[in-house]
Amino acid sequence: MKTILTAAAIALTSSAALAGTVTLDKAAEGATLHEAGIDMSLYWTEAEGGFELVATYVTDETAEPARLVMLLQDGDNVTFGLPDAPDATFKFIRTGDVVVVAGHTPRADLVSN
């Protein structure tokens, strides 16, 4: 069931080209994502009001690690970019007990002048 929900969540994402994807289905179990010059380590823990997702990352442009922490409730779907990484955005999706983090590289054919 979790696999079906995760696949459905990814299928319903924007039309940008799907790149690296990580699925986290257990608390405190980490994973890494490598996308567009970004190395990101991820895990979530249960917190009051949802799951607290922690992402620690470095980019090709910076040597200092940065940390991103967000509270995800069931059904949340958030997309944003990171400083020093203009070539990628990241999508954070929570469906039940599954958190999916996907790197997206914008498609050149979607840009118009």
Side-chain angles (χ1 to χ4, degrees), residues 48-105:
E48 187 175 326
F51 288 177
E52 183 175 82
L53 176 71
V54 178
T56 304
Y57 65 93
V58 294
T59 70
D60 283 346
E61 303 297 319
T62 60
E64 288 295 315
R67 179 165 282 178
L68 168 69
V69 179
M70 72 178 83
L71 184 68
L72 293 172
Q73 296 177 338
D74 192 15
D76 281 351
N77 185 331
V78 182
T79 303
F80 56 86
L82 301 172
D84 296 322
D87 295 333
T89 59
F90 291 86
K91 184 172 281 284
F92 302 85
I93 304 165
R94 177 174 169 209
T95 305
D97 290 340
V98 176
V99 174
V100 175
V101 180
H104 290 262
T105 304

